[in-house]
Amino acid sequence: MSAGEEQQIIKQYQPLIRALIPYEQDNRLLEGINKFSKRLPGNIRKIIKEEVVRLTSLTDASADNSAFAKFPVMKFKHFGIPMRLDKVGAKILQNETALYQERYTVGVFESVMNSDFYQTQIKRDQFKKIVEAFNVESQSFTDIDFGDDIAVRPNFTVSSVDFEKGRHCTVSSLSFTGIAVETKRPPNVSTGDIITFVIPEVMGLTTEPTEITYELDAIKYNKHLGKYESFFTVSSETDLSLLNNLKRYIKGTSYKQPLQRDLEIERAMQDLERDRILENSPWLPVFLSAHQKSLKPIIALFTKANVDNNNSEKLLASLQDKTHFENLVQELHKYNEAFIFHGVIKTKSGQITITATHRQLVELGQLNASVSLLVKSGVVTCTQCRLEEVSREDKVKAFAIHDIPSKEFEHLAALSHVMYCRDISMYLTNLTLSEKCDFKPLSKTLRATGDNWSIDFVMEDDLDRRSETRYIIDKVAMIKVGLLSSINVRVADLSASGMKLMVAPGTELQSDVRVSVPDLKIKNERYKVVHYDAASGVVRLCLEDVKKSKAGANVDAMVEENTAYFKIRDIARIQRSTHRFIWELAVRHMPSLSVLCVMNRHILDRLKTVYQSDSSDDLYPFSRTANIIPLHGFFADKAVAKPKSMMLEAMFKGDVENNLVVHCVRKSDNRLVYIKESDFLYSKLRTQIQNQLEEEKVQVSATNVTAIRCYGATTPLTKKRLAQLSKLDKAMYDKLETMQAGYTHCIFVTNMSALHHDLVMAKLIAKQERPLSEDEATA
């Protein structure tokens, strides 16, 4: 075998050679060769063995890397041998010497003197710096579990004849195993003293004043409270049933009253940050409940962000078809994610409305043709959906936190799932076929049936533009349609200047109608039709002239006389409770990896916290370590020495809102290959990727990054989140309230690989909307 062939083998099996070095140092080289390379031919094993022996041989050669070093170069001795190395060379010397078990060998000398090895080390160090610069601590959308450490600050006082002369003392902390009592001065007691406190009659804990015996552990001054705290532990002689009652009380009231100060601060911080993510998220939550063997949509939650980032009317329309919604639910149960195509296809017989998931179209072999026809018609919506189950525990928490009586809102207790939706039509509207395809007859299963679900919605007060209080009511009414004819209808809700009626679907109505409601003393009153849905029979009316009409005065007088009756029928109150309840469910199940950003001079220091659900795969093809999330793969500039992000700079300036970050994962060695968004969407490289996918050599990872500027310093629930803390520590309350203005953006990282993989396989390519600039072309 020639010398060139031997060098080629040594280069090919370099990882194996380095793995065998420790075995040679321990005189177990043969064992290592048999372990790692028993299937290799004998001549190759011999070359590998000889190379390992050569590298582990001792040497006294002086190393000098000044020919390719980064100055300054240092002079020093290593095991008595003179060295001239820079910092990188010295680090290589140290690491390699450790590999060879603190011996200066031929292998150490060659590593130090190898320019390629030196450059590899520099690149590795640079990459490590970039990765560390984009690492962000993570939090979970799941509530913080304080476990047995949970402690509440109850709203009752305790007293003892042996403590502070029987005075009633405020309880600053009550836990499963102890109690902390506040006093203005240090109490006259000693560590180890046994004190029996009297707990008053407390609903859920005691039915009469009850004694509990504690042992004093310590007395400390609390600078936040400005008082002394005496910490006690429950005595071992305490009745077990009383301790169990205590545990139930703490668990049951932990969401209705403040926690111990430090725990309440931690809880408030999580609540405030989760609220901010939901408030500024492009995802629109639609809540579902059980229906036969499937689910049905009930109500959607509108926020400033999801209204601005979606055409909510079209988005909900894409979900309403009953048959297609059932198919969607089946797919969501299987994959937890689906992509809905909804739009119009023009045929010779006329326009046809279709609704289908992209997996349905793939299964029918009609993805490329359907997308092409939908785009051509110009009427198309693509909605990404993700499904999360809502647990009974979460619903109990939501009722408790907002003090909502569950018996009055049984329809909310019946909610079982939340489906998050967002409009991603931008990735569809400029697609075209890269080559001709067969246009098969349109499958009947794709056609909209016209039998739709009615999806209600609720919004925060800032979005609700109604200026009057409305009340739910059910009364018989009549609409005059002719000189001597009228039709019977029902009043669904009522306000001083308007009402909502339910008429038979398809009824013909004029723009002005005269309405009589005998029970409400409204007779032949003239109303203007503001909105009429002939399909559902919903009519919304407004008084022609509120000032001249007696109807408004009659309604006001009736409400004033029956305050209690109308209070529970106040639609604003009902919607406020509904809004808070479903908001509370939504913040615990957000579907995207979310990054909260704050004000800072340095771009990378603006990334404060990452929130990610336990089941999320949005980080793929990267993975988190403990509570550290690596974001360099999505944000960092490629092929640069220092940590930088042009994407983040553009997003923070408002120049860019969306980016598609694409990687190809090579299956042979799991190596990641970064693909520019423009190359992936528009260039011939897309066809090459398609060929690689067909041969199953690569896997595509396509991730959408969306940045949304925060709509304001507060969210609809900011005051609610800080209310409990204000009772404990006013200074901390003020600090957290001021901190809310420091949040600037929310960035959402969402994996969309399933859709983009199938669009590539369907030979669909995006049309170039604008010519590339010189900088983009050469980048």
Side-chain angles (χ1 to χ4, degrees):
M1 188 177 290
S2 66
E5 289 175 331
E6 286 188 7
Q7 287 303 312
Q8 187 64 33
I9 290 171
I10 290 171
K11 185 177 180 180
Q12 182 180 351
Y13 291 99
Q14 194 61 227
L16 174 59
I17 291 169
R18 289 183 69 83
L20 290 171
I21 287 169
Y23 285 87
E24 167 62 10
Q25 303 283 358
D26 293 337
N27 294 318
R28 295 188 297 125
L29 179 58
L30 187 59
E31 177 189 333
I33 290 175
N34 290 334
K35 180 179 180 180
F36 294 118
S37 58
K38 56 186 176 183
R39 293 185 180 179
L40 294 177
N43 61 334
I44 293 178
R45 284 159 59 96
K46 182 182 177 183
I47 293 170
I48 291 172
K49 178 184 176 182
E50 289 174 352
E51 178 64 11
V52 172
V53 171
R54 186 184 74 82
L55 291 174
T56 54
S57 302
L58 294 174
T59 183
D60 58 357
S62 176
D64 182 352
N65 76 342
S66 55
F68 51 82
K70 290 185 176 180
F71 288 89
V73 172
M74 301 173 288
K75 293 182 180 180
F76 60 94
K77 289 189 177 182
H78 185 66
F79 296 136
I81 302 167
M83 301 283 161
R84 278 174 55 86
L85 305 172
D86 66 348
K87 287 183 179 180
V88 178
K91 186 176 180 181
I92 293 172
L93 177 67
Q94 180 184 358
N95 293 340
E96 291 295 295
T97 302
L99 174 67
Y100 287 87
Q101 297 186 347
E102 301 304 324
R103 301 170 71 201
Y104 184 61
T105 66
V106 172
V108 176
F109 172 76
E110 290 184 354
S111 294
V112 173
M113 296 298 291
N114 188 322
S115 176
D116 292 337
F117 194 90
Y118 179 90
Q119 293 300 326
T120 301
Q121 181 67 36
I122 288 178
K123 288 180 181 178
R124 187 180 292 119
D125 291 345
Q126 287 174 342
F127 182 70
K128 185 179 179 182
K129 287 179 182 178
I130 291 172
V131 171
E132 289 176 350
F134 285 91
N135 281 347
V136 186
E137 287 191 9
S138 72
Q139 297 281 353
S140 173
F141 286 111
T142 308
D143 288 332
I144 300 169
D145 184 6
F146 296 109
D148 291 341
D149 295 329
I150 192 168
V152 298
R153 182 185 175 94
N155 54 6
F156 59 79
T157 59
V158 295
S159 62
S160 171
V161 294
D162 301 322
F163 187 82
E164 287 292 276
K165 299 178 181 180
R167 294 191 188 96
H168 287 266
C169 301
T170 303
V171 180
S172 63
S173 173
L174 179 66
S175 68
F176 294 164
T177 57
I179 191 171
V181 178
E182 293 178 8
T183 54
K184 290 182 179 180
R185 300 176 183 82
N188 188 22
V189 286
S190 304
T191 303
D193 285 358
I194 303 299
I195 307 292
T196 300
F197 285 107
V198 177
I199 294 179
E201 180 183 340
V202 178
M203 185 180 292
L205 178 59
T206 57
T207 55
E208 58 183 15
T210 306
E211 294 183 347
I212 302 184
T213 304
Y214 289 93
E215 181 180 342
L216 181 62
D217 281 344
I219 300 173
K220 298 178 182 177
Y221 180 72
N222 190 322
K223 64 179 181 179
H224 301 292
L225 299 173
K227 294 180 181 179
Y228 288 89
E229 282 186 298
S230 302
F231 296 90
F232 296 86
T233 305
V234 173
S235 170
S236 58
E237 299 177 1
T238 304
D239 183 32
L240 186 61
S241 62
L242 184 57
L243 290 178
N244 289 334
N245 280 346
L246 191 64
K247 285 186 177 182
R248 279 196 296 271
Y249 172 77
I250 292 171
K251 287 181 178 179
T253 60
S254 61
Y255 288 97
K256 296 181 180 179
Q257 58 188 11
L259 298 181
Q260 181 268 333
R261 177 185 175 276
D262 292 341
L263 303 186
E264 184 60 37
I265 291 171
E266 199 171 341
R267 181 169 73 174
M269 282 291 292
Q270 185 193 37
D271 285 342
L272 289 166
E273 291 190 336
R274 291 189 307 190
D275 288 344
R276 186 164 302 281
I277 290 169
L278 175 58
E279 169 76 356
N280 299 287
S281 169
W283 292 91
L284 189 153
V286 179
F287 290 83
L288 320 176
S289 64
H291 176 72
Q292 297 177 358
K293 294 182 180 180
S294 185
L295 300 170
K296 65 177 181 179
I298 301 296
I299 190 168
L301 174 63
F302 286 176
T303 66
K304 294 186 183 76
N306 66 37
V307 167
D308 284 352
N309 286 272
N310 301 286
N311 186 324
S312 51
E313 186 178 343
K314 286 185 177 179
L315 190 149
L316 293 180
S318 69
L319 307 173
Q320 288 181 315
D321 191 286
K322 291 184 178 180
T323 303
H324 291 294
F325 190 81
E326 188 174 341
N327 295 332
L328 171 63
V329 168
Q330 289 177 1
E331 189 169 311
L332 286 169
H333 277 312
K334 188 174 182 179
Y335 300 103
N336 286 335
E337 181 180 65
F339 298 88
I340 290 284
F341 295 162
H342 177 76
V344 171
I345 287 180
K346 295 178 181 178
T347 66
K348 292 180 180 178
S349 57
Q351 293 186 346
I352 298 173
T353 302
I354 72 161
T355 303
T357 69
H358 94 282
R359 289 188 178 92
Q360 282 180 290
L361 294 173
V362 169
E363 191 176 334
L364 293 168
Q366 295 189 356
L367 180 62
N368 49 5
S370 298
V371 170
S372 174
L373 292 172
L374 285 168
V375 172
K376 191 175 180 181
S377 74
V379 183
V380 57
T381 301
C382 183
T383 306
Q384 183 178 11
C385 303
R386 289 185 172 182
L387 186 69
E388 291 278 348
E389 185 175 357
V390 175
S391 68
R392 180 182 176 277
E393 183 184 2
D394 284 345
K395 288 184 281 189
V396 170
K397 287 178 187 176
F399 280 128
I401 290 169
H402 299 292
D403 196 22
I404 300 171
S406 57
K407 290 182 180 179
E408 289 184 21
F409 294 86
E410 291 181 355
H411 62 290
L412 297 182
L415 300 177
S416 60
H417 291 76
V418 54
M419 180 174 68
Y420 288 89
C421 311
R422 68 176 187 135
D423 188 346
I424 54 166
S425 305
M426 56 193 171
Y427 291 113
L428 219 67
T429 50
N430 67 336
L431 288 179
T432 186
L433 294 168
S434 61
E435 59 182 61
K436 290 184 179 180
C437 74
D438 294 330
F439 287 87
K440 302 175 184 177
L442 192 66
S443 173
K444 291 182 179 179
T445 59
L446 305 180
R447 301 189 182 199
T449 63
D451 186 13
N452 295 337
W453 290 115
S454 175
I455 305 177
D456 199 0
F457 59 85
V458 69
M459 63 189 78
E460 59 196 78
D461 292 339
D462 289 349
L463 289 177
D464 194 342
R465 292 177 294 275
R466 295 186 178 95
S467 57
E468 282 186 333
T469 304
R470 295 179 302 136
Y471 303 97
I472 293 177
I473 202 164
D474 186 10
K475 298 290 182 182
V476 175
M478 290 175 291
I479 296 179
K480 193 172 183 180
V481 292
L483 186 62
L484 298 173
S485 61
S486 61
I487 56 174
N488 291 330
V489 298
R490 299 202 73 85
V491 181
D493 71 43
L494 177 74
S495 69
S497 61
M499 64 175 66
K500 172 183 168 183
L501 300 181
M502 301 300 298
V503 304
T507 303
E508 291 187 10
L509 294 177
Q510 296 177 343
S511 58
D512 293 328
V513 294
R514 290 193 175 272
V515 180
S516 298
V517 188
D519 291 349
L520 303 180
K521 298 179 182 178
I522 296 175
K523 186 177 180 181
N524 212 23
E525 195 70 55
R526 189 182 185 89
Y527 282 87
K528 181 181 178 181
V529 177
V530 178
H531 172 78
Y532 175 41
D533 186 348
S536 62
V538 175
V539 186
R540 298 189 185 277
L541 306 177
C542 177
L543 283 171
E544 285 278 6
D545 192 336
V546 179
K547 292 180 180 180
K548 292 181 180 180
S549 173
K550 294 180 181 179
N554 289 343
V555 171
D556 288 338
M558 184 172 52
V559 171
E560 193 172 336
E561 291 173 6
N562 302 277
T563 307
Y565 176 86
F566 281 98
K567 182 179 179 182
I568 61 173
R569 288 163 176 78
D570 182 350
I571 290 180
R573 172 186 167 273
I574 294 169
Q575 288 196 338
R576 192 178 303 114
S577 296
T578 302
H579 175 266
R580 289 191 170 190
F581 179 86
I582 64 176
W583 181 289
E584 204 65 48
L585 298 183
V587 295
R588 288 167 170 76
H589 299 282
M590 291 303 294
S592 282
L593 185 148
S594 312
V595 187
L596 281 171
C597 304
V598 294
M599 287 188 290
N600 201 295
R601 288 177 58 196
H602 304 288
I603 291 290
L604 302 187
D605 290 336
R606 296 186 67 171
L607 307 178
K608 180 182 180 288
T609 313
V610 172
Y611 275 81
Q612 182 186 27
S613 69
D614 299 331
S615 59
S616 170
D617 67 345
D618 290 322
L619 204 55
Y620 181 81
F622 306 94
S623 58
R624 71 177 178 186
T625 305
N627 67 328
I628 301 298
I629 300 284
L631 295 176
H632 64 281
F634 305 113
F635 296 158
D637 289 349
K638 307 300 182 286
V640 293
K642 293 182 179 180
K644 290 177 63 180
S645 177
M646 291 179 65
M647 178 199 293
L648 287 179
E649 287 181 15
M651 285 181 166
F652 290 144
K653 288 178 181 177
D655 297 337
V656 174
E657 288 185 1
N658 287 279
N659 263 296
L660 190 67
V661 181
V662 184
H663 294 88
C664 279
V665 185
R666 203 161 62 190
K667 291 187 177 181
S668 60
D669 56 2
N670 282 333
R671 184 180 174 186
L672 291 180
V673 180
Y674 169 71
I675 311 292
K676 290 181 183 178
E677 179 181 9
S678 56
D679 289 343
F680 176 73
L681 294 176
Y682 309 114
S683 75
K684 294 180 181 178
L685 183 60
R686 190 174 175 92
T687 305
Q688 296 174 22
I689 293 171
Q690 177 217 324
N691 295 333
Q692 295 281 308
L693 288 171
E694 287 176 347
E695 296 172 10
E696 297 186 350
K697 291 183 178 179
V698 299
Q699 187 172 342
V700 167
S701 168
T703 304
N704 172 261
V705 179
T706 301
I708 295 179
R709 181 179 289 277
C710 291
Y711 280 76
T714 61
T715 69
L717 267 69
T718 298
K719 290 183 179 180
K720 171 73 177 178
R721 302 308 189 191
L722 291 171
Q724 303 285 28
L725 186 59
S726 66
K727 302 173 185 177
L728 305 182
D729 189 334
K730 187 62 168 64
M732 195 64 197
Y733 166 85
D734 292 336
K735 184 177 180 181
L736 281 185
E737 189 178 38
T738 304
M739 277 176 57
Q740 300 313 300
Y743 294 93
T744 62
H745 292 77
C746 292
I747 300 177
F748 300 90
V749 179
T750 310
N751 191 315
M752 299 176 62
S753 303
L755 175 66
H756 284 287
H757 171 276
D758 289 335
L759 292 177
V760 171
M761 294 297 286
K763 300 179 181 178
L764 291 160
I765 190 168
K767 291 177 287 187
Q768 189 72 54
E769 294 179 331
R770 61 178 177 81
L772 293 177
S773 65
E774 292 183 9
D775 294 339
E776 291 174 322
T778 56

